[in-house]
């Protein structure tokens, strides 16, 4: 029995947007290893005939309740001639670090997501990864914010539990030494791990979405010809 390849897009343009973890900050800023590099490798391996462009917009120290909306607006305007198909958003680490309350950060994230969605892009929101600090308040606030991100529902909005995919405390100590850098940022292997996890998530999502898009297009075509 013949098998048919999973549907996939002909072109894919992705914006990876966020803070230092998106920029790939490592070794106190002496090196940068954006997870986007591994993300593209995973996607290209899964969809070899797809033309893939991945753009990185990561700013060290950036807070959602600060520069995020202005930066994303500028990034989207610069791509008006060829909008992004996906915008991957990671934010909240620095807000939490400065004592921000999860509900307020979530409100700000919703504004950021709305900017991305208004361009017609799909949004993939990432939960916030752990840090080496064993501060009860920080851990609880991060958990609350991640729960809010995971529970958000909106058309063309998706989330991925990056906190689970790249753990700190649950990771075996020897492996942690190869993945984690300063207890907040990652080493090159850590960003590869991050990019691989996000890429695998998109590889699972894309064929389903292409099927849905093709089915919807077929329905419209049938209605117009009927």
């Amino acid at each position: 029995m013949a098998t048919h390849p999973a549907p996939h897009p002909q072109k894919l343009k992705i914006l990876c947007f966020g803070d230092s973890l998106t920029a790939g900050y490592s070794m106190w800023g002496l090196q940068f290893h954006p997870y986007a590099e591994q993300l593209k490798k995973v996607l290209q391996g899964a969809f070899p005939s797809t033309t893939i462009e991945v753009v990185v917009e990561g700013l060290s120290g950036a807070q959602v309740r600060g520069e995020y909306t202005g930066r994303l607006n500028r990034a989207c305007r610069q791509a008006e001639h060829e909008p992004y198909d996906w915008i991957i958003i990671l934010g909240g680490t620095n807000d939490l670090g400065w004592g921000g309350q999860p509900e307020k950060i979530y409100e700000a994230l919703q504004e950021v997501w709305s900017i991305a969605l208004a361009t017609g892009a799909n949004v993939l929101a990432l939960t916030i990864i752990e840090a080496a600090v064993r501060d009860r308040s920080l851990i609880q606030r991060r958990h609350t914010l991640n729960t809010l991100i995971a529970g958000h529902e909106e058309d063309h909005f998706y989330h991925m539990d990056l906190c689970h995919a790249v753990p700190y405390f649950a990771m075996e100590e020897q492996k942690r030494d190869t993945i984690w850098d300063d207890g907040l940022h990652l080493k090159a292997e850590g960003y590869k791990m991050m990019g691989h996890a996000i890429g695998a998530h998109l590889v699972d999502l894309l064929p389903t979405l292409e099927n849905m898009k093709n089915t919807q297009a077929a329905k419209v075509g049938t209605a117009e010809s009927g």
Side-chain angles (χ1 to χ4, degrees):
M1 183 176 178
T3 58
H4 299 282
H8 58 274
Q10 293 182 337
K11 295 176 67 177
L12 195 57
K13 186 175 182 181
I14 300 171
L15 173 64
C16 300
F17 184 85
D19 49 31
S20 55
L21 292 168
T22 295
Y25 180 104
S26 191
M27 292 189 65
W28 307 104
L30 295 176
Q31 295 182 9
F32 285 84
H33 306 281
Y35 75 80
E37 295 172 359
Q38 185 66 19
L39 167 66
K40 184 175 181 180
K41 288 180 182 178
V42 171
L43 291 174
Q44 201 70 79
F47 310 116
S49 63
T50 300
T51 301
I52 301 174
E53 179 184 358
V54 182
V55 177
V56 178
E57 175 54 61
L59 179 63
S60 298
Q63 296 185 48
V64 178
R65 300 181 68 196
E67 307 95 332
Y68 266 52
T69 53
R71 288 173 52 221
L72 185 55
N73 267 316
R74 285 193 296 273
C76 291
R77 281 198 304 269
Q78 290 168 0
E80 281 179 340
H81 63 290
E82 191 178 344
Y84 294 104
D85 300 296
W86 283 86
I87 299 180
I88 303 173
I89 298 174
L90 174 58
T93 299
N94 293 308
D95 300 75
L96 289 171
W98 285 100
Q101 293 305 306
E103 294 80 8
K104 294 295 184 181
I105 303 170
Y106 175 59
E107 288 177 9
L109 277 171
Q110 289 180 83
E111 292 182 30
V112 176
W113 299 335
S114 293
I115 293 170
L117 291 168
T119 69
N122 295 294
V123 167
L124 181 63
L126 308 176
T127 58
I128 298 162
I129 60 176
E130 296 172 322
V133 179
R134 290 184 179 272
D135 178 82
R136 183 175 298 178
S137 170
L138 175 61
I139 292 171
Q140 182 57 53
R141 285 182 292 116
R142 182 173 56 240
H143 175 74
T144 300
L145 180 55
N146 282 344
T147 301
L148 290 169
I149 293 171
H152 186 84
E153 294 185 2
E154 195 168 353
D155 287 345
H156 302 289
F157 176 92
Y158 307 86
H159 89 277
M160 182 207 155
D161 191 357
L162 186 66
C163 185
H164 177 76
V166 186
Y168 183 85
F169 294 110
M171 187 175 286
E172 191 270 328
E173 187 173 351
Q174 186 174 356
K175 184 176 181 181
R176 188 190 298 162
D177 288 340
T178 69
I179 297 297
W180 287 84
D181 183 18
D182 55 10
L184 178 62
H185 301 97
L186 306 172
K187 294 180 179 178
E189 286 302 311
Y191 288 113
K192 284 182 182 179
M193 182 180 185
M194 184 175 171
H196 183 84
I198 297 168
H201 191 79
L202 282 177
V203 167
D204 287 340
L205 268 178
L206 287 170
T208 302
L209 296 181
E210 282 297 301
N211 265 328
M212 291 170 58
K213 186 167 70 174
N214 293 340
T215 300
Q216 185 63 33
K219 287 180 179 179
V220 171
T222 301
E224 289 177 347
S225 61

